[in-house]
């Protein structure tokens, strides 16, 4: 039900590296879970509204007033690689 | 004094502090030493000294995923190893403001994904009733600590049963309030529309005290409401006039010993004047399926921020994609990866309607089931867990089997309603949990009913010390 | 039936524009950090906009207000209940690994601005900024970038038009109207160079007169209306050439380089993102109340398109002048204040404003000078009534701009008033007497010779006389 290729595609979307031996095991485990998940299709859900919000609230809004945040030191404190006042990363689309 | 404190509930200790018989700092130090001596794997961090700010309540053990400023908060995951938040969760701040200081951070299934605490990136937790067995999960550390007497009380989080099920397996009280009762700000997120903070305690009164302090509308959490009205401490000793609807006793996976204990409890309800009848929750059987789509889907997005850019660990030397992939491969455990994969798949192009869309509709149906039930009864009751604590390693090979541990607890978060688990007896020497669920914001009623029942049951915890 | 070969067909462009507007609120969309205007990197950040574990978004009320204003300005239908969605993808400038945006239930749908229908208006948050690393250069031989999260979380309104535009010039014009409109509303700086107004174009072509839609490409990164126009023109040409040669067009994203005029592909279809949209569980829906709608409605000023129409109609200004004054509301405000109820002066005041005043003030705001609107109108009136010459008027204007005051006082102080009638007649008579050759020529039919006599009079009066008036007097005396 979910094959190797799909596993690799989904892993790519999720930026998860899966090794070769992991792929097959994943495919098997995920297939089993999805099989159970699909039992939902036994139900007649015609005309049922999906629940996208659990609380019955609307318009929870914040006043447009600045609040103190973090200092740069605090912001960069936990950075794996801080440089030039920012968070350094390999450039996208570069090699 | 030490033996005394060990046998007192948190409320009783608080009374002693208020009466001046013992200082809050002495109480803190006592528990700090107890926590430090924990050998069940319950703790990932213990305070190394009594804090300087004043306290008035016994200290609280908090599940690792609650951000506490300057304290390692890793949600039980290697990907956040060493992460120290620059802020403290609102729920914890509320407790600190009430005078309960943080005792330690408890072990948990990684990112709250699990039902046995075997998915922690830092080792499993043992059940104090039988060290070869699991304490339940994902708040396994919190439950074990309270049960074993290495914490006077604790908080955890419940998304599909992660407070109630470990409470059940460890023979203590655990409660998940109505969704929105307690702020989620500072709770490292698993599934946003399901996660709720809640107490794990020795008795119902302690749970009520914590709930009072924890709840409230928080400007930092748009989905928070607090619990409207008063939340008085429970005092009920009878259940006259209350109607209890029991559900799920015919499930094939229900252990006979658990069923017996639950039936005995139903008998006690009737003795206390309550009415018991069987009810149906026709769509609840699909709760697991819906839950294991919705929770992973939300989680797949919530965990996307763990990318090695701004905090915690980073792996991979090479291009950006390698950095992402290696960081996440190295940092996340197997269960987390599985759920991210399922969640991503369920949301991906072409599959949304079939999986996520369908699951959200099943969710509506389950909520409707409860609404209908609450027209006939005041509370819906059931076993909390189909089994008593299972052995370490017993279910790790089969993820689906592990998921089915959540059968009785999953429908309530899907419907957003509150539920409590109280110990109701033993089966083969291991605790059985009895679950009481009520309509949204019926916490006061649930606590009262649980209080009366608890007294009647008279459950004895694990001998500690 | 003859089938027209691709080479011989006429193609028409089909263009839609996607606009991102940074709002001028005080704080970010979902947290209380102040907005950045060139501050040091990572100094306007907090756990929320850095995407720290456990943080949650809370919607900015003012951003919603501005969003409603924009949707109403276009006459959009306001959704009674709109929700936020998560748009999921990985990029270093996206701290949560998803952008909070709106998907299938946006704030507003179906409106219009000028000739162009508006498809939708929605709210979202801006990404952070990726700066190419300077001295940090390379690690392990690979190039690096540095992320600055100051901009991350800035409130954005996204506006998407229907593909109603039929030329690059029209697209640029639409852009200018949109910019003027949003600027008038005060909801954004709408500065394309600074990035508070970003416009992308979706371009396709089809055989003229047909209704089908061809493959469309997306053009990004044009940071001026001129470049937008050139880029679109270049893309239309590129598409036409491919189609005429019988080739197939690919759906792709292109970058236009104004220096070289070339179009380069940024992303191809294979890399198209699967955004896995789902409703944002951390936020609740926006259900605009009567109060919110009324507040947005009341906050809408007269918009440029409407103002231009009114100026043309009520003040009888030429269309181009009306447009100029409507698109620059500071100029329109100044001119209308100057005219006040003296509608008879409208034409002249507007004319002087768009010519003489504009030449002196340039791109700035006329009310930022010392010149008072009423003084400006008074000055124009003096010229119109020939109390002073036009060139004297220009001299007075310079003074008023610099030092303020009343035109009458400046005229008197500088002695720029009209020469007394009698005095002028004497000067004219003298000039005629001094230039008999010119008089001869004029009588002989060479009208231009009058210039010498006029010039003499002007010199004598130091330019205070009105040239036309002098000419009339000369002709009167000469009898031609």
């Amino acid at each position: 039900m979910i094959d190797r290729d799909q596993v690799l595609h989904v892993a790519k979307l999720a930026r998860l590296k899966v090794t070769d031996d992991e792929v097959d095991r994943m495919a098997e485990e995920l297939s089993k879970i999805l099989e159970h998940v699909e039992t939902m299709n036994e139900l007649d859900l015609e005309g049922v509204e999906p629940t996208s919000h659990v609380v019955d609230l609307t318009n929870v809004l914040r006043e447009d007033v600045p609040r103190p945040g973090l200092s740069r030191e605090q912001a960069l404190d936990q950075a794996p690689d801080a440089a030039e006042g920012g968070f350094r990363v390999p450039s996208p689309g570069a090699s | 004094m030490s033996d005394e404190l060990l046998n007192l509930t948190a409320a009783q200790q608080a009374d002693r502090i208020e009466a001046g018989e013992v200082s809050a700092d002495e109480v803190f130090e006592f528990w700090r030493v107890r926590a430090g001596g924990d050998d069940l794997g319950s703790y990932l961090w213990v305070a190394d000294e009594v804090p300087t700010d004043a306290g008035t309540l016994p200290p609280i053990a908090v599940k690792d995923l609650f951000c506490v400023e300057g304290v390692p908060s890793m949600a039980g995951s290697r990907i956040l190893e060493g992460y120290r938040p620059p802020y403290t969760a609102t729920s914890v701040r509320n407790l600190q403001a009430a005078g309960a200081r943080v005792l330690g951070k408890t072990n948990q299934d990684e990112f709250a994904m699990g039902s046995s605490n075997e998915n922690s990136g830092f080792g499993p937790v043992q059940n104090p009733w039988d060290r070869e067995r699991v304490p339940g999960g994902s708040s396994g550390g919190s439950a074990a600590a309270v049960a074993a007497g290495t914490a006077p009380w604790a908080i955890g989080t419940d998304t599909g049963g992660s407070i109630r099920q470990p409470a059940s397996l460890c023979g203590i009280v655990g409660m998940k309030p109505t969704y929105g009762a307690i702020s989620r700000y500072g709770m490292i997120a698993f599934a946003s529309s399901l996660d709720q903070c809640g107490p794990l305690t020795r008795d119902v009164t302690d749970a009520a005290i914590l709930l009072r302090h924890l709840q409230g509308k928080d400007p930092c959490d748009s989905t928070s409401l607090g619990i409207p009205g008063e939340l008085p401490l429970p005092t009920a000793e009878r259940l006259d006039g209350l109607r209890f609807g029991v559900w799920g006793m015919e499930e094939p996976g229900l252990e006979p010993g658990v069923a017996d204990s639950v039936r005995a409890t139903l008998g006690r309800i009737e003795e206390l004047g309550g009415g018991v009848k069987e009810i149906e929750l026709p769509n609840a059987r699909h709760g697991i399926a819906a839950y294991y789509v919705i929770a992973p889907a939300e989680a797949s997005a919530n965990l996307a921020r763990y990318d090695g850019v701004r905090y915690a660990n980073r792996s991979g030397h090479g291009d950006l994609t390698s950095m992402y992939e290696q960081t996440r491969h190295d940092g996340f455990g197997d269960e987390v990866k599985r759920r991210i994969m399922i969640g991503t798949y369920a949301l991906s192009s072409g599959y949304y309607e079939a999986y996520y869309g369908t699951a959200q509709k099943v969710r509506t149906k389950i909520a409707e089931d409860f609404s209908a039930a609450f027209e006939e009864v005041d509370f819906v009751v059931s076993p909390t867990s189909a089994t008593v604590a299972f052995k370490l390693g017993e279910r790790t090979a089969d993820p689906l089997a592990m998921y089915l541990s959540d059968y009785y607890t999953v429908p309530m978060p899907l419907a957003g309603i509150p539920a409590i688990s109280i110990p109701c007896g033993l089966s083969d020497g291991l605790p059985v949990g009895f679950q009481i669920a009520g309509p949204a914001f019926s916490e006061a009623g649930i606590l009262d009913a649980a209080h009366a029942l608890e007294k009647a049951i008279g459950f004895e915890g694990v001998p500690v010390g | 039936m003859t089938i027209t070969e691709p080479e011989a067909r006429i193609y028409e462009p089909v263009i839609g524009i996607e606009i991102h507007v940074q709002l001028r609120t005080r704080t970010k969309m979902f947290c209380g950090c102040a907005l950045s205007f060139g501050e040091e990197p990572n100094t306007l950040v907090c756990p929320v906009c850095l995407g720290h574990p456990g943080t949650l978004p809370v919607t900015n009320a003012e951003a919603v207000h501005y969003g409603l204003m924009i949707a109403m300005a276009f006459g959009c239908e306001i959704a009674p209940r709109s929700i936020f969605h998560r748009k999921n993808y990985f990029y270093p400038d996206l701290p949560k690994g998803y952008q909070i945006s709106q998907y299938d239930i946006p704030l507003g749908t179906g409106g219009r601005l000028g000739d162009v229908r508006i498809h939708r208006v929605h709210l979202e948050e801006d990404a952070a900024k990726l700066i190419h690393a300077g001295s940090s250069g390379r690690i392990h031989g690979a190039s690096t970038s540095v992320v600055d999260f100051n901009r991350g979380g800035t409130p954005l309104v996204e506006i998407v038009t229907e593909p109603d535009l039929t030329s690059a010039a029209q697209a640029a014009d639409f852009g200018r109207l949109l910019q003027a409109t949003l600027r008038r509303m005060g909801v954004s700086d709408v500065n394309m160079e600074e990035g508070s107004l970003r416009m992308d174009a979706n371009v396709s072509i089809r055989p003229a007169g047909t209704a089908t839609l061809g493959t469309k490409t997306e053009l990004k990164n044009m940071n001026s209306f001129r470049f937008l126009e050139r880029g679109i023109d270049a893309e239309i040409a590129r598409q036409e050439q491919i189609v005429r040669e019988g080739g197939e067009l690919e759906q792709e994203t292109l970058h236009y380089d104004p220096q070289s005029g070339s179009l380069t592909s940024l992303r191809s279809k294979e890399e198209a993102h699967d955004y896995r949209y789902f409703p944002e569980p951390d936020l609740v829906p926006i259900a605009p109340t009567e109060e919110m709608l009324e507040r947005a409605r009341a906050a809408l000023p007269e918009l440029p398109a409407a103002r231009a129409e009114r100026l043309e109609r009520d003040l009888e200004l030429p269309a181009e002048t009306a447009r100029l004054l409507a698109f620059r509301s500071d100029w329109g405000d100044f001119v209308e204040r100057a005219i006040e109820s003296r509608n008879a002066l409208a034409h002249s005041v507007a004319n002087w404003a768009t010519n003489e005043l504009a030449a002196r003030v340039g791109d700035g705001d006329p009310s930022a000078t010392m010149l008072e609107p009423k003084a400006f109108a008074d000055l124009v009136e003096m010229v119109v009534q020939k109390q002073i010459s036009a060139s004297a008027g220009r001299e007075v204007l310079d003074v008023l701009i610099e030092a303020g005051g009343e035109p009458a006082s400046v005229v008197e102080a500088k002695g720029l008033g009209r020469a007394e009638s009698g005095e002028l007649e004497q000067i004219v008579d003298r000039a005629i007497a001094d230039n008999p050759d010119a008089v001869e020529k004029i009588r002989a039919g060479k009208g231009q010779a009058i210039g010498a006599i006029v010039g003499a009079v002007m010199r004598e009066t130091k330019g205070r006389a009105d040239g036309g008036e002098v000419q009339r007097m000369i002709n009167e005396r000469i009898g031609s």
Side-chain angles (χ1 to χ4, degrees):
Chain A
M1 112 163 348
I2 178 168
D3 59 28
R4 296 202 85 213
D5 283 339
Q6 283 174 305
V7 169
L8 289 169
H9 174 69
V10 173
K12 194 94 210 153
L13 285 177
R15 295 300 188 271
L16 275 178
K17 181 172 126 172
V18 272
T19 61
D20 246 350
D21 21 89
E22 284 171 338
V23 179
D24 291 313
R25 182 169 56 87
M26 270 268 179
E28 205 189 303
E29 285 170 353
L30 296 180
S31 294
K32 211 166 159 201
I33 295 165
L34 288 169
E35 216 179 289
H36 180 81
V37 159
E38 299 207 344
T39 58
M40 286 193 292
N41 295 328
E42 289 165 16
L43 292 169
D44 175 18
L45 298 170
E46 187 70 42
V48 179
E49 280 299 302
T51 302
S52 60
H53 293 91
V54 186
V55 287
D56 200 12
L57 290 170
T58 56
N59 298 336
V60 176
L61 302 171
R62 170 183 53 88
E63 233 189 290
D64 189 28
V65 172
R67 296 175 57 81
L70 296 174
S71 69
R72 178 149 78 189
E73 288 65 48
Q74 286 173 304
L76 295 175
D77 182 48
Q78 315 252 356
D81 186 4
E84 294 178 38
F87 301 83
R88 188 165 57 176
V89 294
S91 297
S95 50
Chain B
M1 188 239 319
S2 36
D3 277 350
E4 260 216 62
L5 280 181
L6 212 41
N7 297 325
L8 296 179
T9 64
Q12 289 165 338
Q13 292 172 52
D15 287 341
R16 298 277 196 283
I17 294 171
E18 198 180 330
E21 292 170 32
V22 69
S23 78
D25 283 358
E26 283 174 291
V27 174
F28 190 101
E29 182 58 19
F30 170 78
W31 287 108
R32 200 186 68 77
V33 170
R34 287 287 304 173
D38 175 275
D39 60 355
L40 297 170
S42 308
Y43 284 93
L44 296 178
W45 177 87
V46 176
D48 38 35
E49 55 185 15
V50 179
T52 45
D53 56 321
T56 52
L57 295 174
I60 185 99
V62 320
K63 187 172 181 178
D64 194 31
L65 58 72
F66 287 94
C67 286
V68 177
E69 188 173 339
V71 171
S73 304
M74 310 173 294
S77 178
R78 293 263 173 211
I79 209 167
L80 279 175
E81 195 167 5
Y83 173 70
R84 289 171 189 261
Y87 75 106
T88 297
T90 300
S91 48
V92 175
R93 289 216 333 267
N94 287 352
L95 292 181
Q96 290 171 325
R101 297 166 291 182
V102 175
L103 170 64
K105 296 297 227 69
T106 57
N107 201 348
Q108 56 165 98
D109 281 302
E110 195 182 351
F111 288 108
M113 299 183 190
S115 311
S116 66
N117 222 119
E118 291 170 290
N119 293 328
S120 169
F122 302 97
V125 176
Q126 295 167 313
N127 191 320
W129 289 80
D130 178 343
R131 282 159 178 269
E132 287 176 25
R133 293 178 185 264
V134 302
S138 59
S139 310
S142 284
V146 173
T150 59
W153 49 8
I155 55 172
T157 60
D158 191 309
T159 306
S162 290
I163 286 176
R164 292 163 287 151
Q165 185 253 24
S168 168
L169 268 48
C170 288
I172 59 167
V173 174
M175 184 172 197
K176 184 202 87 70
T178 309
Y179 183 84
I182 301 176
S183 168
R184 288 182 298 117
Y185 187 73
M187 270 168 46
I188 298 176
F190 161 23
S192 315
S193 73
L194 298 161
D195 292 346
Q196 266 298 284
C197 162
L200 290 104
T201 55
R202 289 233 182 127
D203 72 356
V204 173
T205 301
D206 279 357
I209 295 172
L210 283 180
L211 195 58
R212 247 188 182 174
H213 294 305
L214 287 165
Q215 68 82 36
K217 189 172 171 71
D218 181 14
C220 293
D221 176 0
S222 305
T223 61
S224 70
L225 281 158
I227 298 173
E230 287 282 306
L231 206 60
L233 291 186
T235 51
E237 311 207 333
R238 300 273 312 164
L239 298 171
D240 301 289
L242 294 171
R243 303 159 298 165
F244 293 77
V246 59
W247 152 69
M249 296 301 286
E250 305 308 312
E251 285 309 310
L254 184 58
E255 270 177 4
V258 172
D260 287 343
S261 193
V262 169
R263 277 193 207 100
T265 311
L266 295 174
R268 284 198 209 278
I269 289 177
E270 288 176 320
E271 283 165 28
L272 293 173
V276 177
K277 69 184 248 197
E278 270 187 30
I279 56 145
E280 289 283 305
L281 294 173
N283 296 287
R285 64 176 52 257
H286 296 283
I288 299 281
Y291 177 79
Y292 279 98
V293 168
I294 294 168
E298 293 178 2
S300 70
N302 286 331
L303 270 59
R305 66 190 63 196
Y306 305 112
D307 57 9
V309 174
R310 290 145 289 121
Y311 42 74
N313 290 324
R314 177 193 289 193
S315 328
H317 306 289
D319 63 15
L320 184 65
T321 306
S322 307
M323 182 191 91
Y324 284 148
E325 293 184 346
Q326 196 71 49
T327 297
R328 292 159 66 78
H329 174 271
D330 293 351
F332 289 139
D334 286 344
E335 184 58 35
V336 170
K337 285 176 181 161
R338 254 191 299 271
R339 297 201 195 189
I340 291 176
M341 294 286 287
I342 294 184
T344 305
Y345 182 72
L347 293 172
S348 66
S349 178
Y351 293 102
Y352 180 96
E353 256 324 300
Y355 291 112
Y356 193 77
T358 301
Q360 293 288 48
K361 291 179 182 175
V362 170
R363 190 172 189 171
T364 303
K365 296 290 282 180
I366 292 175
E368 286 172 1
D369 281 356
F370 277 112
S371 295
F374 290 130
E375 311 235 306
E376 297 175 33
V377 298
D378 301 298
F379 305 105
V380 168
V381 296
S382 71
T384 305
S385 165
T387 67
V388 292
F390 43 94
K391 288 210 191 268
L392 286 155
E394 191 180 304
R395 297 186 189 178
T396 48
D398 187 357
L400 192 57
M402 187 69 87
Y403 295 170
L404 294 169
S405 321
D406 299 334
Y407 183 83
Y408 290 102
T409 52
V410 139
M412 294 77 186
L414 287 170
I417 61 172
I420 197 171
S421 176
I422 59 171
C424 65
L426 296 173
S427 167
D428 285 333
L430 295 165
V432 176
F434 185 79
Q435 177 172 238
I436 306 171
F441 303 113
S442 63
E443 280 83 350
I446 292 175
L447 287 162
D448 247 344
H451 181 268
L453 201 47
E454 166 186 76
K455 199 152 191 271
I457 293 169
F459 181 84
E460 293 291 309
V462 171
V464 295
Chain C
M1 181 170 83
T2 40
I3 297 167
T4 325
E5 292 304 319
E7 310 93 64
R9 278 195 209 129
I10 297 173
Y11 290 93
E12 62 185 20
V14 177
I15 305 161
I17 309 282
E18 195 176 295
I19 303 111
H20 287 90
V21 179
Q22 276 184 343
L23 297 180
R24 264 224 80 145
T25 52
R26 298 176 65 196
T27 62
K28 294 187 178 182
M29 186 73 214
F30 296 116
C31 69
C33 288
L35 294 193
S36 163
F37 295 96
E39 274 82 347
E40 283 296 299
N42 294 299
T43 51
L44 290 167
V45 294
C46 75
V48 177
C49 58
L50 283 174
H52 271 248
T55 53
L56 298 171
V58 185
T59 309
N60 184 333
E62 196 68 354
V64 174
H65 172 60
Y66 284 173
L68 287 173
M69 280 177 67
I70 294 173
M72 284 177 155
F74 302 151
C76 287
E77 199 176 302
I78 308 290
R81 196 181 154 92
S82 70
I83 65 174
F84 289 99
H85 268 73
R86 291 188 185 178
K87 180 179 180 181
N88 301 280
Y89 63 98
F90 286 84
Y91 209 71
D93 66 3
L94 201 65
K96 298 187 292 295
Y98 57 86
Q99 178 199 30
I100 301 179
S101 177
Q102 293 191 295
Y103 182 54
D104 56 0
I105 316 179
L107 196 67
T109 51
R112 169 178 286 278
L113 180 64
D115 298 326
V116 180
R117 290 172 302 161
I118 302 293
H119 177 58
R120 55 183 281 149
V121 171
H122 78 243
L123 288 162
E124 61 184 27
E125 54 176 350
D126 208 351
K129 222 189 268 192
L130 215 54
I131 318 166
H132 210 77
S135 53
S136 337
R138 304 171 83 78
I139 41 172
H140 302 109
S143 62
T144 58
S145 303
V146 170
V147 193
D148 170 17
F149 287 94
N150 282 354
R151 190 185 80 172
T154 301
L156 292 180
V157 161
E158 180 174 322
I159 303 163
V160 182
T161 74
E162 298 287 1
D164 287 351
L165 296 141
T166 55
S167 75
Q170 190 193 10
D173 259 353
F174 172 77
R176 291 186 188 96
L177 175 58
L178 177 67
Q179 183 188 51
T181 305
L182 294 174
R183 185 173 279 147
R184 181 81 179 108
M185 289 163 61
V187 297
S188 168
D189 288 338
V190 276
N191 184 317
M192 276 184 98
E193 284 82 35
E194 288 174 2
S196 47
L197 173 64
R198 316 203 280 251
M199 292 179 60
D200 302 327
N202 289 313
V203 182
S204 67
I205 60 175
R206 67 182 172 202
T210 61
T212 50
L213 290 172
T215 306
K216 71 175 181 212
T217 59
E218 193 186 2
L219 269 176
K220 293 179 93 78
N221 299 338
M222 294 156 295
N223 64 0
S224 76
F225 297 121
R226 227 170 58 248
F227 294 159
L228 178 77
E229 188 173 340
R230 281 206 246 146
I232 295 175
D233 270 332
E235 176 56 11
I236 292 168
R238 186 191 76 91
Q239 289 195 10
E240 260 196 56
Q241 180 172 29
I242 291 176
V243 169
R244 285 191 196 287
E245 288 169 1
E248 282 228 6
L249 287 165
E250 253 187 73
Q251 192 172 354
E252 52 186 333
T253 303
L254 299 160
H255 164 80
Y256 174 70
D257 178 4
Q259 252 63 52
S260 62
S262 65
L263 293 153
T264 33
S265 185
L266 288 178
R267 288 198 284 273
S268 73
K269 205 163 69 165
E270 289 102 271
E271 289 159 39
H273 291 284
D274 179 356
Y275 292 119
R276 308 185 294 288
Y277 285 97
F278 70 98
E280 171 57 82
D282 289 334
L283 294 172
V284 298
I286 299 175
T289 59
E290 252 320 300
E291 210 185 310
M292 287 163 76
L293 294 171
E294 195 37 56
R295 182 175 168 236
R297 210 173 281 128
L300 286 180
E302 181 188 31
L303 299 177
R307 190 178 208 177
E309 233 174 87
R310 181 176 61 78
L311 293 175
E312 217 185 308
R313 185 188 63 237
D314 297 349
L315 298 180
E316 293 175 23
L317 295 182
E320 190 48 42
T321 309
R323 195 188 114 107
L324 275 170
L325 294 175
F327 274 41
R328 284 295 305 268
S329 51
D330 43 0
W331 283 81
D333 289 347
F334 186 88
V335 166
E336 287 207 69
R337 272 212 313 284
I339 294 171
E340 251 209 298
S341 32
R342 295 188 274 181
N343 281 17
L345 275 181
H347 223 277
S348 309
V349 169
N351 200 21
W352 266 71
T354 53
N355 291 298
E356 303 299 341
L357 188 55
R360 286 156 174 77
V361 176
D363 220 20
D365 180 354
S367 60
T369 67
M370 297 297 292
L371 175 67
E372 292 288 313
K374 182 175 181 298
F376 182 64
D378 288 343
L379 173 62
V380 172
E381 190 173 44
M382 289 178 86
V383 172
V384 164
Q385 290 177 355
K386 298 191 194 299
Q387 288 171 33
I388 55 173
S389 67
S391 56
R394 287 188 269 276
E395 229 185 287
V396 175
L397 183 58
D398 286 331
V399 175
L400 294 177
I401 287 173
E402 193 72 27
E406 297 287 322
S409 333
V410 177
V411 164
E412 184 157 338
K414 284 186 149 245
L416 294 171
R418 284 240 155 266
E420 286 299 324
S421 229
E423 193 197 327
L424 184 60
E425 282 172 10
Q426 286 175 19
I427 295 173
V428 169
D429 288 336
R430 252 200 318 274
I432 289 171
D434 287 347
N435 289 279
D437 303 316
V439 176
E440 281 295 321
K441 287 182 180 153
I442 293 165
R443 286 196 175 126
K446 293 198 172 107
Q448 312 96 284
I450 203 172
I453 309 176
V454 173
V457 173
M458 295 306 268
R459 273 192 300 278
E460 181 92 35
T461 63
K462 296 192 177 57
R464 285 179 299 136
D466 178 71
E469 174 74 16
V470 167
Q471 208 168 322
R472 188 192 62 74
M473 289 170 79
I474 296 170
N475 282 325
E476 218 176 64
R477 277 151 179 69
I478 295 177
S480 56

